[in-house]
Structure formats: C-alpha cells, structure tokens
C-alpha cells in the first residue's frame, strides 16, 4: 500500500516536471510562519466568542497558511485550477482542497467574450483577495465582509460570464455580466447566525469545518439550486465596480438526518476599487442581506437575522513597501426566533498593515487589528457584552513558483 | 523609448529613381534590436531631401509623448511592401511598447518575458489573430498586411491592452518625451501628417495636417490638440504573485 502511494507520488512529480517544461502546469505557493500576540477573548475557532483568528491561548509562533495554487492547461482555452491548503489548526483534514475548477475561455472573435467556470470556487465579490489562492494582497487578514464570504461560501456549480471587451475596442473599459447556479451551499448562514462576523484569514476548505464543534458548509439538503448574478465594470484597471445579488434559495424548513438545517441566505453586495495612481489603492465594499432557518409556517418562531458589513481601505505602495489602513463596520440584527438572547452584534474594527518584500520569495508582513464589538450572548458566559480585542501578527512568508521564475528565465533567453 | 533616426542617401543610376533608406535603431531594454526597411520612392528625382520636425502638444502646450505620427505624400504613390520586423514584448503583465507603429507588411514577433503565460488576441478589422504565448514555446512572427489600428488584448489578463498601428505611409514614428519627432530624407513636396494615440481624444479629421517640405530645409510642424487627453490606459505594474 505504502509502496503504491510512493509510486503515485513519483509519477505525479515526473509528470509535473514534464508539464512545467512547456508551461502546461504552473504552480505558485506560499507558506507563512507568524509570531502572534493577542489580547482578547477565546476565538470562535477554539469554541469561544472572539472574532479574531488567534487568542491568548493560541499565541506565539504559529503556522499561518501553507498553500499551493496550480493551473494546468488542458488546451488553449481550457485550464484546470486547484488550490490546496493547510492551516495547521487541527481541522478534519490537515491538507484540504479549497478550490477546484475548470475555466473555459474561448478567444474572442469580436468584442464579446464568453467565459465559463465549472467546479468549486469563490464568487467574484472580494476586491481584497486578488492574490494567488485567494490570498489578501493588502494585509494578512481580509475585512469582516470578505472573511465571511471565505468562511461560508463556495460556488459549487457553474458560472457564466459574458464580457464586453470595451478596452479592446473603445475606451470605456469592460463590462461583464455574471450568473451562476450552484448547489451544496445550504448551510451558508449558520456561522453568521451563531457568531456574527469575524475578521480572520481562515476560510473554510471544501471538506473541512470551522469552530468547536466544527460547522461544515458544503451540503445539499433541499435539492434546490441557488444562484447569484452580478455586474462588473472595469475602466482600464484603474477603477473596478462590482454589484452582485446572491440567493442560495434554500428551503429553511429542510434539514438532514444528521441534524443540520438549511439556511436561506440572500444578500446584495457592492464594491469599488480605485487605483488613481501607481501607488494608491482605495477599496470600499458593502453587503446587506438576511438569513433564515425554520419552516415559514413557524411564523414568528422562524429564526430570521439581518446583517450588514462595510469597509473602506486605503493602501500605499512604493518600491518594496506597502502600507494599508482599513476601517470595518459590521453588525447583525435578529428579527425573529426564540433561542437565547437576541444575537445582535454591533462592531467596528481598525486594521493597519505593513508589507515588505525582501525579494521575489521572502516577504515580511506586520499587521495590527483592533475590534470593538457589542455582542449580548457574551452575558451567558458572564462577560460584559462589549469587549475590545487586539491581535498583532508578524508574518514571514516564503513564496515559490515553478513553471514560472526559473523556466521564465530560460523562456526569456530563448525568445531573444 | 527613444528612436534615433539615421539616414543614408544613394543614387540609383540614370533611371531617375532614388531610394531612401531609413535605419531605426531601437533600444529595447537589455537587447538592442536593429531593424531597417527599404522604401522606394517612385518619381522623385535626385537626392535632395528635406527634414520634417513634428511636435504634438496638448491644449496647454505640453508635449504629448508616444503619439504615432505618419507622413504620406499628398499625392499617393506606390510603395513596396515592407519586409521589416518589429517586436511587441510582454513584460510585467503589459505589452511593451504599449504602442507600436509599423509599415504595412511588417512581421511582428511576440516574445514573452514574463513568468506567466499570455494569450494575445486581436479582433480588429486590420488583423484577426490568436496567439498563445506559453513559456519555452516559440511562435512564428505575425505579418500585418493591412493598414489600420490593431488593438491587442490578452485572454488571460483582461487588463492588458496594446496597440499596433499599421500604416502605409512611408515616413512615421512616435513622439519622444517632449512630444517631438524628427523625420529625415523626405523628398521635397506636399505631405499629409496624421497623428494618433490612445490618449488623444480629438476627432480624427482634426488630426490631419497638410505641410509642404522644402528640399535641403527643415520644415517644422506644430500640432496642438483641442481636447483634453484621456487618462493613460496602461495598467499598473503587477507583482508576480498576483497572477499565475
Ligand atoms: Cu496576459
């Protein structure tokens, strides 16, 4: 058995070697080790009510994230994308798949370009997570809004994009319409109803869970597919505006034999990213929606919660440095339902981050986050309902690429 | 990017034809690529040529750099198709140069000096093509047989935009940082100057100017734009870990 596994590994490595030779396989990855200092309450990841990833019981030297994002070219227009993650935090699978999708992108023959994605992937909402493997390029931890999208959502289905290539035919930039149908997203909403928003760089993986006891997110309970539809306008990569409507169309009365219920979750999302000069980036995003569980016939006993989150970010980049400041504001409001005190959360947070690139591989990121939140369920644990939490992280990140840098040099020499 | 234009002049015997040879040496980053082409001017006599200095300025009088300037005789003549070559490179997720001006018939090579793949395409009327640029795979150059503007895109990186301006004018170039372009070895006569740039918003009919070039003399032409320039469309330089 072991021998067979090693043989399979060897085959995979050999195949990867051949595939990278003509750039058929491209892999980027990174791992980061952090020193963490925390002043706050126990993180929800460890069974507490804290909104940050680490807490005073989980400080010191920690693995932040190790990931590999690969792109395998199957043909000129078809590529297979895979993101594999390890967070080193006792998740069910120490190494797990986060995204896995096939991208089909025919060459445009006129100003309309079609594109399809089929598989499991993040919906196109976050304007912060633009790095390989959905990593945040402005700081370590994305905003509360995008943290939540990474935690509870993955499009497991198909997405179609039709883009008017204005930039290639005029000067107004591109306009894209996006629509997706998906399944296996019925538990989405469970986490925000239970805990409110959080600010972590710990998205869920496809087969893992979050919290104690862990909540798992990718199940189908009512055999009803969900959808999202969105609009993107991009002007010369200097301004990007996105709007999206999400509705998982879950039947809130449906549940599984295992006891999990379906959460009907819907939201509207808006975002804009402005890059007026080569140095400055400004991002603002807003989300507003609700989630419900329990059959409609329960009336006022059905649990129904509204939520909203917004943030504004400014980032300045020069040479090997990047400075980012962000203000988050978020809250939940329970409209109906009966369990416990109303889990209304009102919170805001400040984030400051400094990124320094030593070279193409090594990066040092220092991040400070302070969250001030009011969350009445804390009273059940004999805590004041309003609490500040602070987390400081210094992360050393090593990034690697194959089918890239080394081969790029050879390719460059060949081309000249 | 700077262009230095040097010229030689040569009599072609009693046939009354003369040929002007232009050699444009382009400093292309680490590599020096020299290319030249031959234009045969039919009907011009002798080797008595003039010079034309074109300046393109915006509404406030500031020079407009990287503007394409083409100069064609007012009375059209026949020219041999160019057999020149040129390079449109890919660097830091951008077409380099952003704007390339070539004669009709020029073959353009598309190397890829990035660590990522590109898939260049154009659906412009002057040239339809699709060109996957994978690492370590060389592609034959693409020949541009028809005049017109060819807008380049990348199917992987939607923010990449480049332009190849294909002209049948015998004299052309791009303005320098001061908005200047010097053209030499023009036979005396009437010419039509056309200006183009992705950032120039003026209507195209106002961007055509007639000029008379005297033999042995330097004629200057100053073209002032009437509309405000558009924002430069180039994308920001991207860090490599942002794309793959
Ligand atoms: Cu590209």
């Amino acid at each position: 058995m072991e021998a067979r596994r090693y043989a399979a590994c060897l085959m995979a490595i050999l195949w990867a070697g051949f595939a990278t030779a003509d750039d058929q396989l491209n892999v980027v990855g990174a791992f980061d080790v952090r020193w963490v200092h925390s002043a706050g309450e126990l993180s929800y990841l460890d069974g507490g009510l804290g909104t940050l990833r680490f807490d005073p019981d989980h400080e010191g030297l920690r693995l932040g994230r190790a990931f590999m994002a690969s792109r395998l070219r199957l043909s000129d227009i078809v590529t297979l994308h895979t993101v594999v993650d390890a967070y080193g935090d006792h998740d069910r699978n120490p190494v797990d798949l986060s995204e896995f999708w096939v991208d089909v992108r025919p060459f445009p023959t006129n100003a309309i370009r079609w594109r399809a994605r089929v598989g499991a992937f993040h919906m196109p909402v976050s304007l912060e997570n633009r790095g390989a493997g959905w990593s945040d390029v402005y700081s370590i931890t994305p905003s509360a809004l995008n943290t939540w999208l990474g935690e509870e959502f993955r499009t497991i289905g198909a997405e179609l994009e039709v883009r008017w290539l204005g930039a290639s035919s005029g000067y107004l930039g591109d306009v894209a319409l996006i629509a997706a149908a998906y399944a296996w997203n019925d538990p989405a909403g469970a986490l925000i109803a239970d805990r409110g928003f959080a600010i972590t760089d710990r998205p869920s993986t496809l087969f893992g869970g979050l919290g104690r006891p862990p909540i798992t997110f990718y199940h189908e309970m009512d055999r009803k597919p969900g959808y999202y539809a969105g609009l993107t306008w991009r002007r010369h990569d200097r301004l990007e505006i996105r709007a999206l409507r999400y509705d998982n169309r879950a039947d809130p009365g449906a549940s599984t034999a295992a006891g999990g219920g379906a959460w009907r979750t819907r939201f509207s999302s808006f975002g804009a990213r402005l890059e007026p000069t080569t140095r400055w980036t400004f991002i603002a995003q807003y989300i507003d929606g609700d989630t419900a569980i329990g059959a409609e016939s329960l009336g006022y006993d059905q649990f129904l919660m509204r939520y909203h989150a917004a943030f504004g970010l400014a980032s300045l980049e020069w040479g090997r440095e990047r400075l980012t400041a962000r203000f988050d504001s978020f809250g939940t409001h329970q409209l109906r339902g009966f369990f416990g005190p109303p889990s209304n959360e009102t919170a805001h947070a400040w984030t400051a981050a400094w990124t320094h690139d030593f070279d193409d591989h090594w990066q040092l990121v220092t991040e400070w986050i302070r969250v001030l939140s009011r969350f009445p369920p804390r009273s059940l644990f004999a805590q004041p309902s309003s609490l500040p939490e602070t987390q400081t992280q210094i992360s050393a990140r090593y990034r690697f690429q194959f089918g890239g840098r080394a081969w790029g040099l050879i390719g460059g020499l060949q081309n000249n | 990017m700077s262009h230095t234009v040097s010229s030689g002049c040569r009599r072609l015997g009693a046939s009354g034809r003369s040929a002007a040879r232009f050699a444009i040496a382009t400093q292309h980053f680490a590599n020096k690529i020299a290319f030249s082409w031959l234009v045969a001017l039919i009907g011009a006599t002798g080797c008595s040529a003039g010079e034309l200095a074109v300046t393109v300025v915006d509404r406030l009088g500031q020079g407009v750099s990287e503007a394409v300037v083409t100069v064609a005789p007012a009375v059209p003549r026949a020219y041999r198709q160019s057999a020149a070559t040129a390079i449109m490179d890919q660097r830091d997720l951008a077409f380099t140069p952003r704007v390339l001006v070539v004669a009709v018939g020029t073959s353009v090579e598309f190397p890829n000096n990035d660590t990522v793949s590109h898939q260049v395409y154009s659906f412009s009327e002057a040239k339809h093509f699709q060109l996957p640029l994978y690492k370590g795979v060389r592609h034959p150059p693409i020949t541009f047989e028809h005049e017109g503007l060819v807008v380049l895109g990348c199917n992987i990186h939607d923010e990449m935009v480049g332009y190849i301006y294909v002209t049948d004018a015998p004299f052309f170039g791009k303005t320098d940082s001061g908005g200047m372009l010097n053209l030499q070895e023009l036979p005396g006569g009437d010419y039509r100057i056309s200006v183009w740039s992705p950032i120039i918003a003026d209507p195209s009919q106002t961007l055509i100017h007639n000029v008379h070039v005297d033999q042995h003399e330097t004629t200057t032409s100053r073209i002032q734009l009437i509309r405000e320039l558009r924002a430069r469309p180039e994308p920001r330089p991207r860090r490599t870990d942002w794309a793959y």
Side-chain angles (χ1 to χ4, degrees):
Chain A
M1 198 61 206
E2 279 295 292
R4 197 182 294 175
R5 188 182 289 182
Y6 283 122
C9 270
L10 192 67
M11 289 293 285
I13 290 164
L14 279 175
W15 168 80
F18 285 123
T20 47
D22 69 338
D23 193 31
Q24 201 184 347
L25 177 70
N26 199 300
V27 181
V28 296
F31 60 85
D32 75 285
V33 176
R34 297 176 195 172
W35 175 83
V36 183
H37 175 76
S38 171
E41 56 185 315
L42 192 67
S43 169
Y44 77 92
L45 287 166
D46 298 303
L49 292 173
T51 58
L52 296 168
R53 179 169 171 191
F54 298 104
D55 52 54
D57 292 349
H58 300 82
E59 278 192 312
L61 221 53
R62 300 269 148 190
L63 171 69
R65 180 190 184 193
F67 78 92
M68 270 202 341
S70 68
R71 193 200 62 209
L72 175 68
R73 202 181 71 235
L74 301 174
S75 84
D76 278 349
I77 62 163
V78 183
T79 45
L80 173 70
H81 297 252
T82 310
V83 180
V84 176
D85 268 302
Y87 290 96
D89 58 0
H90 316 294
D91 198 354
R92 189 188 303 175
N93 307 300
V95 177
D96 203 346
L97 212 54
S98 289
E99 290 184 276
F100 182 77
W101 83 91
V102 172
D103 185 298
V104 184
R105 235 189 256 220
F107 275 102
T109 52
N110 55 43
I112 301 293
R113 206 271 313 277
W114 294 86
R115 176 192 175 192
R117 291 201 282 174
V118 179
F121 47 89
H122 290 281
M123 68 179 111
V125 169
S126 173
L127 293 166
E128 296 176 292
N129 299 73
R130 60 195 305 198
W134 210 68
S135 50
D136 183 353
V137 296
Y138 301 101
S139 57
I140 297 172
T141 311
S143 60
L145 194 169
N146 292 322
T147 296
W148 182 53
L149 294 177
E151 287 173 327
E152 295 211 72
F153 300 89
R154 215 57 44 90
T155 308
I156 305 178
E159 180 193 81
L160 194 65
E161 177 197 271
V162 52
R163 180 176 289 266
W164 175 68
L165 296 163
S168 300
S169 41
Y171 299 106
L172 287 168
D174 293 357
V175 178
L177 283 165
I178 300 145
Y182 52 85
W184 299 282
N185 223 167
D186 289 336
L191 194 55
I192 196 171
D194 185 40
R195 175 212 67 188
F197 285 98
I199 302 185
T200 79
D201 65 323
R202 179 58 171 96
S204 59
T205 55
L206 285 173
F207 303 101
L210 293 177
R212 295 271 176 278
I215 299 176
T216 55
F217 302 97
Y218 307 113
H219 305 291
E220 183 55 44
M221 294 167 182
D222 56 12
R223 298 175 155 265
K224 271 173 74 184
Y227 79 90
Y228 61 76
L231 184 72
T232 300
W233 179 52
R234 180 157 61 196
R235 191 179 159 87
H236 288 317
D237 206 30
R238 289 295 168 98
L239 174 68
E240 180 160 349
I241 292 176
R242 292 182 184 180
L244 185 132
R245 177 70 190 168
Y246 177 98
D247 187 344
N248 72 353
R249 293 177 68 245
D251 171 8
S255 58
T256 57
W263 294 77
R264 194 215 55 222
T265 298
R266 325 175 273 203
F267 61 78
S268 300
S269 134
F270 305 94
R273 178 175 55 220
L274 176 68
E275 295 175 310
T277 67
T278 52
R279 288 184 162 192
W280 284 99
T281 303
F282 301 97
I283 300 176
Q285 277 184 248
Y286 174 74
I287 199 170
D288 186 352
D290 63 14
T291 187
I293 192 165
E296 298 287 348
S297 58
L298 290 173
Y300 199 79
D301 286 341
Q302 183 196 43
F303 179 90
L304 176 64
M305 174 185 265
R306 266 197 84 150
Y307 47 83
H308 69 90
F311 74 91
L313 175 153
S315 185
L316 175 65
E317 185 185 359
W318 76 99
R320 295 159 177 269
E321 322 296 330
R322 175 187 278 286
L323 284 177
T324 301
R326 183 179 65 210
F327 178 72
D328 268 275
S329 169
F330 47 94
T332 59
H333 184 61
Q334 188 181 330
L335 298 171
R336 292 187 205 164
F338 45 86
F339 20 85
S343 43
N344 296 350
E345 179 193 35
T346 328
H348 68 264
W350 283 98
T351 305
W354 170 44
T355 301
H356 174 80
D357 283 303
F358 290 98
D359 53 34
D360 285 336
H361 297 293
W362 285 101
Q363 190 185 46
L364 191 75
V365 192
T366 306
E367 184 194 77
W368 173 89
I369 305 180
R370 184 176 172 83
V371 189
L372 191 70
S373 62
R374 203 186 114 76
F375 193 47
R378 283 192 185 114
S379 59
L380 297 176
F381 300 86
Q383 285 180 340
S385 62
S386 289
L387 266 183
E389 297 167 81
T390 311
Q391 176 182 279
T392 308
Q393 304 185 78
I394 300 171
S395 161
R397 187 186 293 181
Y398 181 80
R399 299 168 294 186
F400 60 92
Q401 185 174 37
F402 59 89
R405 183 68 56 186
W407 288 102
L409 212 61
I410 293 164
L413 290 172
Q414 279 177 345
N415 280 324
N416 286 310
Chain B
M1 174 164 308
S2 67
H3 284 165
T4 55
V5 179
S6 65
S7 62
C9 189
R10 201 168 36 159
R11 276 201 100 100
L12 288 182
S15 66
R17 292 183 177 183
S18 78
R21 186 178 176 276
F22 298 87
I24 293 185
T26 307
Q27 178 88 32
H28 220 280
F29 303 97
N31 317 304
K32 237 181 185 167
I33 302 127
F35 54 92
S36 62
W37 73 97
L38 195 79
V39 183
L41 301 169
I42 303 161
T45 52
C47 188
S48 45
E51 230 179 281
L52 178 62
V54 182
T55 313
V56 182
V57 295
D58 65 12
R59 287 201 310 175
L60 305 169
Q62 292 282 315
V64 178
S65 64
E66 272 218 301
V68 171
V69 176
T70 59
V71 179
V75 181
R77 301 171 208 164
Y79 298 102
R80 198 183 297 168
Q81 277 234 327
S82 170
T85 59
I87 286 176
M88 179 57 100
D89 201 353
Q90 331 288 309
R91 274 169 192 270
D92 300 328
L93 303 188
F95 289 103
T96 313
R98 203 61 36 82
V99 178
L100 180 69
V101 51
V102 297
V104 170
T106 301
S107 295
V108 177
E109 284 226 44
F110 290 81
N112 180 1
N113 275 299
D114 273 335
T115 58
V116 297
S117 299
H118 296 289
Q119 291 190 332
V120 180
Y121 66 82
S122 167
F123 50 81
S124 300
E125 216 170 289
K127 186 77 187 178
H128 279 251
F129 70 94
Q130 301 168 356
L131 184 65
L133 295 177
Y134 307 128
K135 295 268 33 124
V137 183
R138 239 191 117 115
H139 286 269
I142 289 181
T143 305
F144 292 84
E145 307 95 344
H146 305 290
E147 70 165 323
L149 178 66
V150 179
V151 183
L152 308 174
C154 172
N155 206 30
I156 297 173
H157 311 108
D158 285 332
E159 65 279 7
M160 288 175 66
V161 181
Y163 305 89
I164 296 182
Y165 190 96
V166 187
T167 179
D168 63 357
F171 308 98
F172 57 80
K174 283 194 298 183
T175 54
D176 62 16
S177 54
M180 290 259 295
L181 174 70
N182 270 294
L183 295 167
Q184 289 163 11
E185 300 296 331
L186 276 77
D190 289 323
Y191 288 91
R192 178 165 289 183
I193 305 173
S194 304
V195 177
W196 180 85
S197 162
I199 63 166
I200 292 178
D202 291 18
S204 54
Q205 63 270 20
T206 66
L207 292 168
I208 295 171
H209 293 253
N210 292 314
V211 69
H212 181 80
V213 175
D214 285 320
Q215 293 179 2
H216 311 299
E217 275 180 36
T218 299
T219 309
T220 60
S221 178
R222 186 172 186 270
I223 295 164
Q224 182 149 28
L225 305 174
I226 47 178
R227 291 203 189 153
E228 207 166 312
L229 294 175
R230 296 189 177 103
R232 288 219 174 247
E234 53 247 65
R236 291 151 58 102
R238 289 278 170 243
R239 296 187 182 192
T240 45
D241 66 318
W242 288 23
Y244 66 103

